[in-house]
Amino acid sequence: MKNLSSFQKKVFFPLIFLLISILSPVAGFGKTINAPVPPPPPSNDDCSGAIFITPTTTGIYTTYSNSAATPSVGVPAIPAPGCANYIDGDVWFAVIVPLSGHLIFDALAGTMTDGGMAIYSGGCSGLTLLACNDDKAPPGNKMPQIDKLGLPIYVTVYIRFWGKGANNFGTFQLAVVYSPPQPPCFNLGFENDYSGWFATLGQQYDGGAGAGTPVYYPISFNNTANSNFSIANLASGNDPNGGFPQVYSGTKSLKIGNIGTYETYDGASVEQSFTVGTNTNFIYHYAVVLQTGGHPYNQQPFFQIDLFDQYGAPINCAIYSVALPSAVFTQVGSSSTYYKPWTTISVNLSAYINQTVTIKFTISDCSPGAHWGYAYLDCTCQPFDIQTSNDTICAGFNDTLSAPPGALSYLWNTTPAQTTPTIIVNPTTTTTYSCVVTTQGNTPCPSTLTKKIVIDPGFTSSISNNSPICPGDTLKLTCTPPGLTSYRWTGPNGFVDSTQNTFIANVTPANVGNYSVTIKNSRGCSSLLTTPVTLYPLPTIVTTDGSACIGDTATISATGGTNYLWSNGDTTSTTSIAPLATTTYQVKVTDLHGCKDTSSATAVINPLPVIQLSGNTSICLGESSTLTASGGTSYLWDSTLTTAAITVNPTSLTTYHVSVTDGNGCTDTSSISVDVFPLPVPLITQETDTICKGAYTTITASGGTIYNWSSGENTAAIYVRPLLKTVYTVTVSENHNNITCSDVASTVMNVRNCNVIYVPNSFSPAGFNTVFKPIGDIVISKTYQLKIYNRWGQMLFETTNINQGWDGRFNGEYVPSGVYIYYINIDNGYEDPYEKIGTVTVIE
C-alpha cells in the first residue's frame, strides 16, 4: 500500500469516518446506529506542526496531550524510532539548541504513565535520529529522559513523543533543561561559590549487569539549595573521615553529596560548559569518601568524572569513575567507610581551543539508598606546556623545568631519563627538552611537550677605583658595561649600592678593603668583579705644648708634614704666643701626598701664685705671732727667712713682706702687718685684810674693763666670806679690735675665829656653877636661842638672851637631879649658825 503524506492522512482518515457515519444507518440489518464522532488530532500531530519549547535552566514542565494523535507520515517516510516499541500516537515538539549544545529532555507522567521519546536533527523532510529513550528512570517510572551533549548550536532539534502500553494516549509533562556556557576558566575553583556551575539533584538505580556503577538520573535542575551541596572554606578544617583538608587550594572548594540515606535526592551532579582558551591544561582536584554496602559494583555508591567535547563525545583522557571496593581507597579504621585523599588530574585540551567542552562531576549513594558517598572538588586551568624559571639562561646557570601537574607519568629526554614532574637542568648550549606527559583517567593519554632553553652569551665587564686616596676624600667606584639590568656593589663596613658607578664621601680606614660588584643583564647573566681600595695614612702629627707665666711668651710646635697652618694664622711649624689665659691652638698639617689632618697644641698660661698669709695680726705687748704664707713651693721673707712660717715679736705696728714661688716657677709678693696693743695696769682695793670667820667683806679691782676673779666672779667688786686665809687673784683685761690684753693682780684676806663656845655637861644650881648657858667668845649680831626639856619632852626653860641662863628651876621650883636635854642655836651672821642638841646633868 502506498504511504500517505501527512496532509493525505489528515484528509483520508476524516473521510473514512465520514463514510462510516453515512453507512452506519444500514448497518445492523436495517437498524440505525448513532456512532460518536472522534475528536480531531492535536495540532502537533506531525513534525510540521511541532510546538516550540524554550529551554530553561531550572526545568519548567508544561502539560501536553497526545489524545487522538495519529501515526506520523511524511515524504520520505519517517522511520519508527529505535526504542520503546513505537506503534503510533506520536506528537512533535521543537527546540533551538543554545550555545552550550547541552540539553536535557525530561518527561513526567500525567494520565499517561509510560512513554517513549526520540530527538532528531535536520528538517521535517529529512530527519536524522540523534537519540531515543524508553525508561531512564528507576523501576516503576516508565517515562523517558534524554541527556544529550554536543547538539549543534543555534539549530532546531525535533522531539518526538508517544505513549505505550495500556494507556498510550493521555496527558504528560515535558521540560527542556540547559546549562549555560561559561567563558574560559570561569570560577573553576568555586571561589565565587556556585556561580557558573549547573547543578542537578536526582536518584540512581542499578546499572546493567556487569556495570561498574549504578545509573544516575536527574530530577531537579540547577538547584543547589540542598544538603548535597555545600561550599567548604578554610574554617571548615579537615574532613572528619579522611582527615584531609576540605579545601584544596585558594579559600574554597565544593563538597557534593552527603551521608544521608533514603532521601528525596540520593545523588547530585555539577557541570560546567566552558570555552577552552589559551590555558589548555584543565586541572581538577578531587577527594572522595564512600561507604561500602557490600553490593555488587552496579549498586555501590560511586563517584564519576566526565568531560565531553563540543559534539558531546567523551574526552576519554579525563573520564574517571570509581565504586568500592578499590585499591586506591583507604579504610577508616575497621568501619565500612573508605576515602581517597586529594588527587590531581591534568587534561590536555589543546586540541579543543575555542570549543565548548563540558566537565561533569557525579556523586551517588548506593542504588538501594542506604549507603552514602560524598566528594570534594576544586578545578583550575593553566597553560599545557613546560614551565621554566627562564627560557633563556646564562651559561653555567641552572634552570628548572616543570611539566603540568597531575599526570600519571613523566618521561624526559634527559640522560639519564628523568621521571619527575620537575627537573633541574644545566645546559652548556641551547637545548630543546621534551617530556612525554601521560595524563590520568580511566584511559591514560600521552602528550609530548617541548621547551627550548637558549643560552645567553653574556657580556664583557671591568671594574676600577681611584685609590689610593687620603682619608676624608671621596672614593669613586666604576664598572662597565653601562645600561645593564642591575648592579650590586658590596664592600667593607656593610657597604651596599645598586648604581653602576658609585661614590663614598669622607672615607676612613673602615672603608679600606675589597669592593665587589655583581652585574646582571636582563636575562640574569651575571659577572662578579672585585677591586681593592687602599688609603694613604694621615700625617703623623706630633705637637709640643708650651707654658709661661701670665704676661710671658709661650712657644708651641708641630711636626709630621710639609705645610702647617695654625689657627692664629702662623704657617711655621713653631709659633710663639702670649695669651692672657691657657689657649689651645689648632694646626692643619699637610703631607707630601696632600693628605691633611688636624691636631692641636696648648699654650699653658700659668697664673701667679695665689698667696695666702695667715697669723695673728693684732697682739698684746709682749706676745709673739706666727705668720704663715701658702700658695707656693718656696718662700723668702724680708727678714731673709725661707720657711713658710715665721714667728715675730714686735713691740709696735710692724709690716712683714714675703716673696712666694710656685711649682711652675711663677713668683709673686705679698705682705702682712702686725699691730701691738699695751697691757692694762690692774689695782686691788679692800676694806680690811682680816675678818672674822664667817664674816663678809668687799674687794674691788680697777685698771680695765673686763675682770675675772679666781673665785669665779667677773665683776670689778666682789663680796667675799672666807672661812680661812685666802688669796684672791683678778685678771684685768682690755679689748683692742677684738684682741684682749690682760694682766693679773692678787690680794690676801686673813680670817680669825670670833665665836668660841663651850657648853657644860653638868651644873649644880646651888653650887659654884649655878647657871647653865654656853660659855665663850660670843658676838651676837643676829639670833640666840636656848631650850631645856625633861625626858618626856616637856620644855622647862627657854631664852633668847645670851646673858640669861637656866638656874635649874621650873615654875619657881628646882628640878630634881638628873639628866635634861638642851637645844642651843646661835647665829652671828658671819659663819654658819651654831646648833647643838645635847644633855646636861643637874647635880643638887
Side-chain angles (χ1 to χ4, degrees):
M1 178 178 178
K2 183 177 179 180
N3 290 331
L4 299 177
S5 67
S6 173
F7 176 77
Q8 289 170 331
K9 283 199 308 180
K10 296 186 183 300
V11 174
F12 178 75
F13 285 106
L15 286 175
I16 293 176
F17 285 118
L18 179 59
L19 290 174
I20 294 173
S21 298
I22 295 173
L23 294 175
S24 61
V26 288
F29 303 98
K31 294 181 180 180
T32 301
I33 301 174
N34 294 321
V37 178
S43 62
N44 60 336
D45 189 35
D46 286 313
C47 177
S48 60
I51 297 174
F52 273 87
I53 297 176
T54 301
T56 63
T57 60
T58 56
I60 298 177
Y61 290 86
T62 303
T63 300
Y64 300 99
S65 174
N66 71 336
S67 297
T70 63
S72 295
V73 296
V75 180
I78 301 174
C83 68
N85 300 322
Y86 169 76
I87 302 175
D88 57 10
D90 54 352
V91 287
W92 292 81
F93 303 89
V95 63
I96 297 176
V97 178
L99 185 61
S100 67
H102 181 197
L103 291 175
I104 300 174
F105 306 86
D106 192 48
L108 299 179
T111 58
M112 177 193 301
T113 57
D114 192 1
M117 181 167 54
I119 59 173
Y120 299 85
S121 62
C124 288
S125 61
L127 295 172
T128 300
L129 180 65
L130 297 176
C132 183
N133 182 255
D134 182 3
D135 302 325
K136 190 170 184 180
N141 189 342
K142 301 296 186 178
M143 299 303 286
Q145 183 186 87
I146 297 176
D147 185 344
K148 184 63 175 176
L149 285 160
L151 295 173
I153 63 175
Y154 303 133
V155 302
T156 301
V157 169
Y158 291 91
I159 306 166
R160 188 181 189 182
F161 188 90
W162 64 94
K164 52 181 290 193
N167 57 343
N168 60 328
F169 289 94
T171 60
F172 60 93
Q173 297 182 65
L174 186 65
V176 180
V177 186
Y178 82 101
S179 61
Q182 303 299 328
C185 301
F186 177 75
N187 194 34
L188 291 179
F190 301 96
E191 297 301 313
N192 294 322
D193 296 342
Y194 306 107
S195 179
W197 288 88
F198 179 79
T200 71
L201 291 163
Q203 293 289 349
Q204 68 288 334
Y205 57 92
D206 294 355
T213 65
V215 177
Y216 167 80
Y217 71 95
I219 299 174
S220 175
F221 304 97
N222 206 25
N223 175 19
T224 56
N226 185 269
S227 62
N228 279 283
F229 299 100
S230 63
I231 296 296
N233 56 40
L234 295 177
S236 301
N238 294 336
D239 178 78
N241 290 301
F244 50 81
Q246 295 189 48
V247 175
Y248 178 79
S249 64
T251 61
K252 296 179 181 179
S253 294
L254 173 66
K255 181 181 179 183
I256 179 174
N258 59 31
I259 60 173
T261 60
Y262 301 114
E263 295 189 318
T264 302
Y265 306 111
D266 285 333
S269 74
V270 290
E271 65 180 72
Q272 184 182 134
S273 297
F274 63 92
T275 302
V276 178
T278 55
N279 290 337
T280 60
N281 185 23
F282 175 69
I283 304 173
Y284 61 86
H285 316 277
Y286 68 89
V288 188
V289 181
L290 298 176
Q291 184 187 51
T292 180
H295 307 299
Y297 282 111
N298 65 343
Q299 290 183 335
Q300 285 278 52
F302 74 94
F303 173 65
Q304 183 166 323
I305 301 168
D306 293 291
L307 185 62
F308 303 95
D309 66 12
Q310 66 178 349
Y311 304 109
I315 300 175
N316 292 326
C317 298
I319 296 174
Y320 174 79
S321 62
V322 64
L324 296 176
S326 174
V328 299
F329 277 70
T330 300
Q331 186 175 10
V332 180
S334 59
S335 69
S336 60
T337 302
Y338 290 77
Y339 70 91
K340 183 180 183 183
W342 283 105
T343 303
T344 299
I345 304 293
S346 284
V347 182
N348 180 13
L349 298 180
S350 58
Y352 304 92
I353 293 178
N354 296 326
Q355 295 184 28
T356 299
V357 299
T358 301
I359 180 70
K360 182 177 182 180
F361 301 95
T362 304
I363 188 75
S364 172
D365 295 352
C366 71
S367 55
H371 303 96
W372 43 261
Y374 62 88
Y376 297 92
L377 304 173
D378 208 341
C379 307
T380 186
C381 55
Q382 299 175 359
F384 193 78
D385 60 10
I386 297 174
Q387 300 293 315
T388 64
S389 303
N390 290 287
D391 289 348
T392 301
I393 63 173
C394 307
F397 278 46
N398 293 336
D399 202 0
T400 300
L401 281 65
S402 298
L408 179 64
S409 65
Y410 302 86
L411 182 61
W412 296 87
N413 67 336
T414 57
T415 303
Q418 300 184 66
T419 58
T420 56
T422 299
I423 64 173
I424 297 175
V425 296
N426 187 6
T428 57
T429 61
T430 298
T431 303
T432 298
Y433 294 90
S434 67
C435 182
V436 178
V437 180
T438 301
T439 59
Q440 301 185 66
N442 289 355
T443 303
C445 299
S447 297
T448 300
L449 301 176
T450 61
K451 177 63 68 173
K452 184 178 182 179
I453 305 300
V454 177
I455 301 300
D456 189 315
F459 51 87
T460 301
S461 58
S462 65
I463 187 173
S464 62
N465 70 77
N466 64 331
S467 72
I469 57 176
C470 297
D473 288 350
T474 297
L475 174 63
K476 300 176 183 179
L477 300 167
T478 60
C479 67
T480 62
L484 297 187
T485 302
S486 70
Y487 303 84
R488 188 177 189 278
W489 290 89
T490 58
N493 205 28
F495 175 75
V496 177
D497 191 75
S498 59
T499 57
Q500 177 196 351
N501 300 317
T502 185
F503 304 91
I504 303 176
N506 298 318
V507 295
T508 67
N511 302 113
V512 172
N514 291 328
Y515 287 78
S516 299
V517 62
T518 300
I519 308 172
K520 291 185 179 181
N521 63 11
S522 59
R523 301 193 185 279
C525 300
S526 63
S527 175
L528 176 62
L529 304 172
T530 301
T531 182
V533 169
T534 59
L535 295 181
Y536 291 120
L538 290 174
T540 302
I541 304 173
V542 178
T543 59
T544 302
D545 296 335
S547 65
C549 297
I550 188 169
D552 294 339
T553 298
T555 299
I556 56 177
S557 63
T559 61
T562 57
N563 294 296
Y564 304 86
L565 177 61
W566 293 89
S567 54
N568 66 348
D570 198 344
T571 57
T572 61
S573 62
T574 300
T575 183
S576 297
I577 60 273
L580 297 178
T582 296
T583 304
T584 298
Y585 295 85
Q586 305 296 319
V587 60
K588 181 180 288 186
V589 179
T590 304
D591 65 11
L592 56 84
H593 300 297
C595 297
K596 299 177 176 63
D597 200 5
T598 301
S599 188
S600 62
T602 300
V604 178
I605 302 304
N606 297 309
L608 295 179
V610 178
I611 302 173
Q612 293 186 352
L613 296 175
S614 63
N616 292 331
T617 57
S618 296
I619 62 174
C620 299
L621 181 66
E623 293 180 348
S624 63
S625 176
T626 298
L627 304 178
T628 302
S630 64
T633 58
S634 63
Y635 305 88
L636 178 62
W637 295 87
D638 48 11
S639 62
T640 71
L641 294 175
T642 59
T643 58
I646 62 172
T647 299
V648 297
N649 213 351
T651 58
S652 61
L653 177 65
T654 305
T655 299
Y656 299 89
H657 301 84
V658 64
S659 179
V660 179
T661 302
D662 63 13
N664 297 316
C666 297
T667 302
D668 201 4
T669 302
S670 186
S671 63
I672 187 172
S673 297
V674 178
D675 199 1
V676 180
F677 297 100
L679 299 177
V681 179
L683 176 65
I684 296 177
T685 60
Q686 56 194 58
E687 298 173 350
T688 178
D689 60 356
T690 302
I691 62 172
C692 292
K693 182 179 179 180
Y696 290 89
T697 187
T698 299
I699 302 175
T700 303
S702 61
T705 59
I706 301 172
Y707 302 90
N708 290 289
W709 292 89
S710 57
S711 59
E713 289 92 338
N714 55 15
T715 57
I718 63 174
Y719 193 56
V720 298
R721 185 191 180 193
L723 299 179
L724 52 90
K725 181 179 181 179
T726 302
V727 176
Y728 291 91
T729 301
V730 64
T731 300
V732 179
S733 304
E734 189 74 40
N735 277 334
H736 302 281
N737 294 333
N738 296 325
I739 295 298
T740 300
C741 294
S742 305
D743 204 355
V744 178
S746 300
T747 185
V748 177
M749 181 62 65
N750 297 305
V751 178
R752 69 182 182 88
N753 288 322
C754 299
N755 292 325
V756 179
I757 299 172
Y758 169 73
V759 180
N761 60 5
S762 64
F763 80 99
S764 176
F768 174 77
N769 184 11
T770 60
V771 177
F772 175 74
K773 65 178 180 180
I775 301 171
D777 186 3
I778 301 175
V779 178
I780 298 299
S781 61
K782 287 191 176 183
T783 62
Y784 172 82
Q785 188 176 36
L786 172 63
K787 294 180 180 181
I788 305 296
Y789 298 88
N790 61 18
R791 67 180 66 183
W792 295 280
Q794 182 181 20
M795 188 169 65
L796 304 178
F797 174 80
E798 178 183 16
T799 183
T800 56
N801 188 339
I802 187 66
N803 297 313
Q804 184 181 2
W806 182 44
D807 60 1
R809 286 181 292 182
F810 176 67
N811 293 331
E813 297 292 334
Y814 285 103
V815 298
S817 297
V819 178
Y820 294 87
I821 302 170
Y822 69 84
Y823 168 72
I824 299 174
N825 178 276
I826 301 174
D827 184 5
N828 61 9
Y830 295 102
E831 59 185 0
D832 292 336
Y834 178 82
E835 292 183 355
K836 187 170 182 180
I837 296 176
T839 60
V840 59
T841 302
V842 178
I843 303 173
E844 294 182 357

